[in-house]
Every structure is written in structure tokens, then in C-alpha cells.
Amino acid sequence: MTAARKYLVFGGGAVGSVFAWRLQQGGAKVSVVCRSNFRAVRDNGFNIDSVKYGAGKFTPDNVYQSASDVVKDKQDYDYILVSTKSLPNIVNPAELVAPCVRDKKTVLVLMQNGIGIEQYFEEKFPENPIIPATVFLDAHQTEHGSITHGVSIKLDYGIYKPQQLGVQKTESILEQLKQDLVAGDVESSILDNVQRSRWSKVIWNASFGPISVLAGKYNASELLGDPIANQLVRTTMKELIAIGDTTTGEKVSPISSEDFIDKMIDFTQNRPNPFIPSMLVDFENKRPMEHHVIVKNPIDVANKLGVKVPVLETLYSLLVLLEKKSLGSGNKQ
Amino acid sequence: MTAARKYLVFGGGAVGSVFAWRLQQGGAKVSVVCRSNFRAVRDNGFNIDSVKYGAGKFTPDNVYQSASDVVKDKQDYDYILVSTKSLPNIVNPAELVAPCVRDKKTVLVLMQNGIGIEQYFEEKFPENPIIPATVFLDAHQTEHGSITHGVSIKLDYGIYKPQQLGVQKTESILEQLKQDLVAGDVESSILDNVQRSRWSKVIWNASFGPISVLAGKYNASELLGDPIANQLVRTTMKELIAIGDTTTGEKVSPISSEDFIDKMIDFTQNRPNPFIPSMLVDFENKRPMEHHVIVKNPIDVANKLGVKVPVLETLYSLLVLLEKKSLGSGNKQ
């Protein structure tokens, strides 16, 4: 029997803590870097109330306040799961994590929203395996260290540069992660084209997010219940699908874009509780929004490919301006 | 010598009161329909502090609170100057004025913002002369009945349907109005293609207005000082120029659209005080915005002509949604 693998979960919010908990439950060694909730988690761990798994107490093997605390501890991690917000307009996400990356063997699993999140890590760690993942999880941190989770949890992922490590090494990295997730009762799929899956998610985030904020704080159900907003969501999704189809080299969805949009909208409308897009949550809490990776990076891809996205560009411009007024700051864009 | 012509100015805000004052100064009989400021004006008239004309007291020949008060008074007016906001999504602007229109000779001078403002009057008064006008005026009502005015004042106008009345009758209607304005020291031009002039103005209003509101309350100078907002203003103007060029049958401006946009932006930037778009003033005061005539009607024209205006459509949708949240009402769109 091999020694338990060692995970560092960088970002102890709802996403990071639930996955960290499950990995530990499955037998892995799991440490967590917490920021705003550091004191609460160091003193009491995480209290997780999950419909799927029941109530649980999660005490990470180590709780760190920052990357430099990780370095001081001289631990070595096989996988780093990056579950912080991705705000490259404010700070390079790879620089944040950098001190924790001991050598080129450390696997970086990117559990962040948006498109083009890999570029920051690729530049900083050209030789490390990078695994972009798509997170499906309905969990929230209700107060520092207290997490509620519904029933949905899934991690889809794939290797960023398949050619880099060779087939065997790549497969082993992907399979080991899957073993550990499955041991923790987490569903997961290894995907050949993980970007398709990431685009599917960004199509939702980049349409509902900006519109919910700019329209004056509508949740997703309110937006869909208003014919003007419903139409604007669909128009925005259509632009995003056009980019996604072009850039991923195969259609983001095998069904027609109209059917795909209908399906996404039905899924959103049929939730027992209305979705509140994470951008709206951040905006309401006067926190920076992830408009760079969710909206700007898709626009940059569109411009490179010659896909016209005037609606998305309008939403992005307004969002940046609104955030500047709201936060009163001169963030880099 | 003929008897003084009789004017009814429908809407005693800054625009209506300054023009009414000048017409009376020129020798015309001028009555005003006031709404929110009725009591103040009935009791004390208007106090107008003008850089161009000096300080003046303006006591209208009659002050009315509503159209039905005008009817009760059994007065007959040669010209009705309509200077209320145009909010066809809330109330038909022609219905508001209708009781004051005694017969088909009454000339309707439309001094309102936006595009397509004539359609409501044309439908209600198919035989009356309709004169769309473009107002240039820097005046504000600082409190009920108190008006400040700078130096700029100009009224450009033309007949809506040149064929309707015959050349002679049309000319006499236009010339009489000009005589009365000139007598009051107001510059004015009679235009063959008044729609070009109205489009020039809507290009400004439909770009700066919505963006200033949606971006989170930027005045025009702040918008131009931010490169992202500056670009969005230009993109929106470009769409509007494309509609205007197509619908007016000749280019809105004889210079290139890039030069025209530069000129508008220079003019806006070189003001001693920053422009605050009227839409932003309305939004901040929780009053309905004129998005229907300023944004929606241009979009409808574009759709009819097959001109693509995705940016304008996005701005309009967001504006309507934001207003709904802000006013908490279910206005008709």
C-alpha cells in the first residue's frame, strides 16, 4: 500500500473546504490555506452541513494563513487544488500560489471560474502539470468555517497540455486524483476536452453574472421571468457559444445552440431556490468581481478568432465601470 | 399691425419657461401649463437668472395646472409648444396635450428629446401642422419657478410633413414662429431636414445618457476620462450614426462619422462644467427616464431598416430593467 497522497487546498471557501473534506474522508492528507476565515478554521475546523453526506466536522491536517506559512512548514504537496477567486486584474493568481510549489512535480488543479485561467500558471510553472477542472457544487459558507452543502458535487477535469508529460505520466496523475475523489464519494470525470466543459459553465456565468449586476441586482429567476432580461440572457449566451464552439474545436454542446440555451434556462428556472450569480454576491458584498476571467478573457479569445461579441463587450465595459464606482478603486483591468 | 400671436407652452420646466419668457418679451401672448411647480409659478411667476439676457421676472399671461384647466378657460392658441418629457411607455404624449388642441389649425411644436416623437401627435391630430424642433439651451430649474440660464439658446425646426399643407401655408407657419422667436432675441433656423438635426442630438443623448446611468452614475466628463467608457460612448455613437444616416436619407453630418464623434466628444470635454445627462438626473431623482424615445425608438428604426445595433439594444434592455428595480414599478415598455 502506498502512502496517502498529500493535498494542499489553496482557498478555504465553500468549494475548497467541501472538496478538501471529501479528500480527507477518502484517506488523503489534506491541508488548507484559509484567508478571511483563518482564525475560525484554525480554532474550530470546518463545520459542514451537507444534505448528501450528512453533518460533518472537518479538521484539516494543517491550516495555513498564507503561502509563506506553507513554506515555513516545509511540507511537500503532491497536488495543489487552487480554489481561490481568480482576479488577474488585481493580482496574478499564479503568484499567490507560487511559494507553495516546491518543484515541477507538483500538480496544479485549477478549480476556478472563467476562461484562460491556465495562462497565468503556465507562464509561472511551464513544466508543472496543470489540470483545469469544472466544479459542480451547491455549497455556501454561511459564516466563517460554517458550510452548507446540498446534494450536487462533481469535478470534471483534464490535462491542460496533453503532449507535455507523455501519456503514461498524464494518465497516472489524472487517475490518482480520481481515485482519491472517488474514495471520498465524489463523482468525477476525466475529460479529453476539458475546455468544452469549462465553456459550458462560463456560458452561464458570463451571461447571468453581468446582467444580474447591471440590471440592478436581479437573481437568475427574476431575470428569466422578465421577457427583456430573458432575451438579453439568450443573446449573450449565443455570443458565448459562438466563441466556445470556435475555440474548443468542437461544438460546446452536441445539440443546437438554441436547444442548449433552452436547456440551460430550464435548468435554471427549475431550481427550488433561485440562483444568485456569484458576481452579484461579490458586488453586493463590495468585493471585486471575477469579470476578468469570466467576461474579458472570453472576449479576448473572440477577438483573436474574429468572432463578433458586441453584447459581451458592452456588458464587460459597464461592469468594470460600475465596479470602479462601487469599490472606489482604480483596479488594473 | 396684426394681433399678437397666442402661444401655449405645455410644460413649465427649464426649457418651456425660458422659451415662453423670450416669446412674451418679443410681444407674443404666452400661457404656460405647469405641473409640479404650478403653485410657485401661479403665485410668483418665474424668476429667471440668465447670463445672456440678465435677470428677469416672467409672469405668463395664464398659468394652468392641467390641460383641462386650459379647456375651461376657453382660450384659443395659435401654437402649442410641447416641452414636457416624452414618456410614451407611461402615457401617450399626444393624449396629454389633446384637450388643448381646439381645431386642426393649432400648430404643434414638439420641443422634446428623442426620435419618433411625432408619431403620437400625427396619429391623434392627422391634420394639424406638426413642427419637430431641436432645442439647444443650457438652463436648469433650481427650485420651483427659479430658472438659471447660461448663454446658449437656439431652436432649430422644420415641418414634419412638407406636403400636407402646401408650400405657402407651411412657410407662413414656420416664418411666424421665427419672427416671434427673433423678436424675443432667440436664434433659430428653419431646416429642410429637421430629422438630421434631431438625430445629431439623439446621438449624444442615447450614448451618454444610458451609459452614464448604467456605469453607476458617471457624468459626461467622467465617462470621457475613462478609456473603457470613452470607447463605449464612441461605439454607441457609431451605431446611432449608422441609423441616422440611413433613415434621414442623407448623412447626419457631412464629415466622417469618426470626425463627427471626435467633434461631439471635444465639445463635451471642453465645457467649463461637466454635462450631467438628463437621464442620469431623472434616474437619480427616481423619475422615469426618457429611454423610450431616446433609445427604443431609434432601435425600432434600425430594426425596420436592417441596421444592426447590438450595443444599443443591450443598453436599452439594461436600462429598462434597472429602472424597473429603481422605481419598483411595472411600467409599460
Side-chain angles (χ1 to χ4, degrees):
Chain A
M1 188 185 148
T2 55
R5 269 178 290 275
K6 291 175 72 184
Y7 284 83
L8 178 68
V9 175
F10 201 96
V15 168
S17 60
V18 174
F19 280 94
W21 175 44
R22 299 319 307 166
L23 285 165
Q24 193 193 55
Q25 291 282 313
K29 294 276 177 203
V30 186
S31 299
V32 182
V33 179
C34 291
R35 296 208 285 182
S36 56
N37 59 0
F38 170 73
R39 279 168 192 281
V41 175
R42 180 197 57 191
D43 296 345
N44 303 304
F46 287 98
N47 289 294
I48 305 181
D49 191 4
S50 166
V51 175
K52 180 177 172 76
Y53 302 113
K57 170 106 183 157
F58 166 45
T59 307
D61 290 80
N62 297 287
V63 181
Y64 301 111
Q65 194 169 9
S66 67
S68 56
D69 286 354
V70 178
V71 176
K72 278 183 212 145
D73 206 25
K74 302 200 175 180
Q75 299 279 335
D76 207 359
Y77 293 98
D78 301 308
Y79 290 78
I80 299 180
L81 272 49
V82 184
S83 52
T84 55
K85 298 234 167 227
S86 183
L87 299 164
N89 49 316
I90 298 173
V91 60
N92 183 326
E95 295 289 349
L96 271 184
V97 180
C100 312
V101 181
R102 287 282 287 271
D103 60 36
K104 65 181 186 180
K105 289 207 302 285
T106 311
V107 180
L108 297 161
V109 183
L110 308 185
M111 301 172 73
Q112 301 163 305
N113 278 323
I115 287 297
I117 55 168
E118 305 86 359
Q119 61 187 295
Y120 315 107
F121 293 89
E122 185 188 7
E123 200 177 315
K124 187 83 190 164
F125 309 109
E127 296 188 78
N128 288 63
I130 295 174
I131 299 184
T134 312
V135 175
F136 302 94
L137 181 79
D138 55 337
H140 300 276
Q141 186 165 214
T142 51
E143 55 183 298
H144 283 167
S146 296
I147 312 285
T148 59
H149 169 233
V151 292
S152 111
I153 180 164
K154 189 163 189 279
L155 196 74
D156 289 352
Y157 59 92
I159 193 80
Y160 180 54
K161 293 205 160 171
Q163 293 79 13
Q164 193 177 20
L165 296 174
V167 175
Q168 212 174 346
K169 182 81 184 129
T170 300
E171 266 184 11
S172 123
I173 286 169
L174 295 171
E175 282 300 337
Q176 284 173 8
L177 175 59
K178 183 153 181 176
Q179 274 171 31
D180 292 338
L181 288 165
V182 168
D185 194 15
V186 173
E187 197 189 340
S188 84
S189 300
I190 298 172
L191 305 177
D192 286 337
N193 191 343
V194 63
Q195 295 304 329
R196 270 180 83 191
S197 148
R198 293 191 57 83
W199 272 95
S200 290
K201 200 169 172 190
V202 98
I203 288 163
W204 198 97
N205 283 329
S207 48
F208 279 99
I211 298 169
S212 70
V213 171
L214 290 166
K217 306 181 181 178
Y218 286 62
N219 67 41
S221 303
E222 285 178 289
L223 286 181
L224 295 178
D226 183 295
I228 288 182
N230 192 303
Q231 187 52 53
L232 184 57
V233 167
R234 288 171 186 270
T235 306
T236 311
M237 283 185 166
K238 218 173 271 179
E239 285 190 355
L240 288 156
I241 292 172
I243 320 171
D245 283 355
T246 311
T247 190
T248 60
E250 52 185 320
K251 285 176 73 60
V252 169
S253 167
I255 56 181
S256 77
S257 53
E258 282 72 21
D259 289 349
F260 184 50
I261 291 170
D262 282 344
K263 222 175 116 183
M264 278 207 163
I265 283 179
D266 284 352
F267 164 75
T268 307
Q269 259 168 335
N270 293 331
R271 304 286 300 180
N273 301 315
F275 269 124
I276 302 172
S278 66
M279 271 195 192
L280 179 52
V281 175
D282 287 334
F283 182 70
E284 288 191 312
N285 288 293
K286 299 245 173 205
R287 292 191 302 245
M289 296 178 280
E290 292 183 295
H291 49 66
H292 198 96
V293 290
I294 291 177
V295 195
K296 180 65 161 56
N297 283 351
I299 290 172
D300 287 349
V301 173
N303 287 338
K304 215 173 289 171
L305 298 169
V307 178
K308 298 265 180 236
V309 289
V311 174
L312 214 50
E313 285 174 327
T314 306
L315 296 175
Y316 173 70
S317 298
L318 293 172
L319 211 51
V320 167
L321 294 166
L322 186 61
E323 178 174 274
K324 209 179 268 182
K325 274 278 173 179
S326 166
L327 301 184
S329 73
N331 289 335
K332 284 185 297 167
Q333 306 310 336
Chain B
M1 185 185 151
T2 54
R5 269 177 292 276
K6 292 175 71 185
Y7 285 83
L8 179 68
V9 175
F10 201 96
V15 169
S17 60
V18 174
F19 281 93
W21 176 44
R22 299 320 307 167
L23 286 166
Q24 192 192 55
Q25 290 282 311
K29 295 276 176 202
V30 186
S31 298
V32 181
V33 180
C34 292
R35 296 208 284 184
S36 55
N37 58 0
F38 171 72
R39 278 166 192 280
V41 175
R42 180 196 58 191
D43 297 346
N44 304 304
F46 287 98
N47 289 293
I48 305 182
D49 191 3
S50 166
V51 175
K52 181 177 171 77
Y53 302 112
K57 169 107 184 158
F58 166 44
T59 308
D61 290 80
N62 297 286
V63 181
Y64 302 110
Q65 194 168 10
S66 66
S68 56
D69 286 353
V70 177
V71 176
K72 278 182 210 145
D73 206 26
K74 303 201 175 184
Q75 300 279 337
D76 207 359
Y77 293 98
D78 302 307
Y79 290 79
I80 299 180
L81 273 49
V82 184
S83 51
T84 54
K85 297 234 169 230
S86 184
L87 299 163
N89 48 316
I90 297 174
V91 60
N92 184 326
E95 295 289 350
L96 271 184
V97 180
C100 311
V101 181
R102 287 282 288 269
D103 60 37
K104 64 182 185 179
K105 290 207 301 284
T106 311
V107 180
L108 298 161
V109 183
L110 308 185
M111 300 172 73
Q112 302 163 304
N113 279 323
I115 287 296
I117 55 167
E118 305 86 358
Q119 61 187 295
Y120 316 106
F121 293 90
E122 185 188 6
E123 199 177 317
K124 187 84 191 163
F125 310 109
E127 296 188 80
N128 288 63
I130 295 173
I131 299 183
T134 312
V135 175
F136 302 95
L137 181 78
D138 56 337
H140 299 277
Q141 187 165 212
T142 52
E143 56 183 298
H144 283 167
S146 294
I147 312 285
T148 60
H149 170 232
V151 293
S152 111
I153 180 164
K154 190 164 190 278
L155 196 74
D156 289 352
Y157 59 91
I159 194 78
Y160 181 54
K161 293 205 159 170
Q163 294 79 14
Q164 194 177 20
L165 296 173
V167 175
Q168 213 173 349
K169 182 80 185 130
T170 301
E171 268 184 10
S172 122
I173 286 168
L174 296 170
E175 283 298 337
Q176 284 174 7
L177 175 59
K178 182 153 181 176
Q179 275 171 31
D180 293 337
L181 287 164
V182 169
D185 194 15
V186 173
E187 197 190 340
S188 83
S189 301
I190 298 172
L191 304 177
D192 287 337
N193 190 342
V194 64
Q195 294 305 330
R196 270 179 85 191
S197 148
R198 293 191 56 83
W199 272 95
S200 289
K201 199 170 172 191
V202 97
I203 288 163
W204 198 98
N205 283 329
S207 48
F208 280 98
I211 297 169
S212 71
V213 172
L214 290 167
K217 307 182 182 178
Y218 285 64
N219 68 40
S221 303
E222 285 178 290
L223 287 181
L224 294 178
D226 183 295
I228 288 183
N230 192 303
Q231 188 52 53
L232 183 57
V233 167
R234 288 170 185 271
T235 307
T236 311
M237 284 186 167
K238 218 173 272 178
E239 285 191 355
L240 287 155
I241 292 172
I243 321 172
D245 283 355
T246 312
T247 189
T248 60
E250 51 186 321
K251 284 176 73 60
V252 169
S253 168
I255 55 181
S256 78
S257 53
E258 281 72 22
D259 289 347
F260 184 51
I261 290 170
D262 282 344
K263 222 175 115 185
M264 277 207 163
I265 283 180
D266 284 351
F267 164 76
T268 307
Q269 260 169 333
N270 293 330
R271 305 286 300 180
N273 301 314
F275 269 124
I276 302 172
S278 67
M279 271 195 191
L280 179 52
V281 175
D282 287 334
F283 181 69
E284 288 191 312
N285 288 292
K286 299 246 173 203
R287 293 190 301 246
M289 295 179 281
E290 292 183 295
H291 49 65
H292 198 96
V293 290
I294 291 177
V295 195
K296 180 66 161 57
N297 283 351
I299 291 172
D300 287 349
V301 173
N303 287 338
K304 215 173 288 170
L305 297 170
V307 178
K308 297 265 179 238
V309 289
V311 173
L312 215 50
E313 285 174 327
T314 305
L315 296 175
Y316 173 70
S317 298
L318 292 173
L319 211 51
V320 167
L321 294 166
L322 186 61
E323 178 174 275
K324 207 180 269 183
K325 275 276 174 180
S326 165
L327 301 183
S329 72
N331 289 335
K332 285 185 296 167
Q333 306 309 336

